[in-house]
Amino acid sequence: WKYESAIDTTIIGSSSHFEVAIAVAVTLYGIGSDAALATVIGPLLEVPLMLALVKLGLRTKKYFPRKKVATT
């Protein structure tokens, strides 16, 4: 995988299924609970944070060289 593809794929993959988290929090704690509110606010903060982490990863890729893998 190219570094440019790997970094954003990793971050997106690690943050999936927030819809399920919202449904579980509302079901368990009720619509007016702090847990439900936090689960709704989380994804709103997640997108800008994810974009910032991808940008940081792309800017610092020179510090993490990758070894070439021989293909046969």
Side-chain angles (χ1 to χ4, degrees):
W1 289 45
K2 288 184 169 183
Y3 188 86
E4 289 81 4
S5 299
I7 189 165
D8 57 343
T9 304
T10 302
I11 293 174
I12 289 170
S14 66
S15 65
S16 61
H17 304 299
F18 66 88
E19 297 94 347
V20 175
I22 294 171
V24 169
V26 169
T27 302
L28 291 177
Y29 303 110
I31 193 74
S33 70
D34 291 340
L37 177 64
T39 318
V40 171
I41 298 298
L44 297 176
L45 299 174
E46 177 184 12
V47 173
L49 181 62
M50 180 181 65
L51 292 174
L53 289 174
V54 168
K55 193 171 188 177
L56 176 69
L58 291 174
R59 285 187 175 184
T60 60
K61 72 179 182 178
K62 62 185 170 192
Y63 300 113
F64 306 101
R66 297 184 69 172
K67 296 178 182 177
K68 298 284 182 182
V69 177
T71 57
T72 56

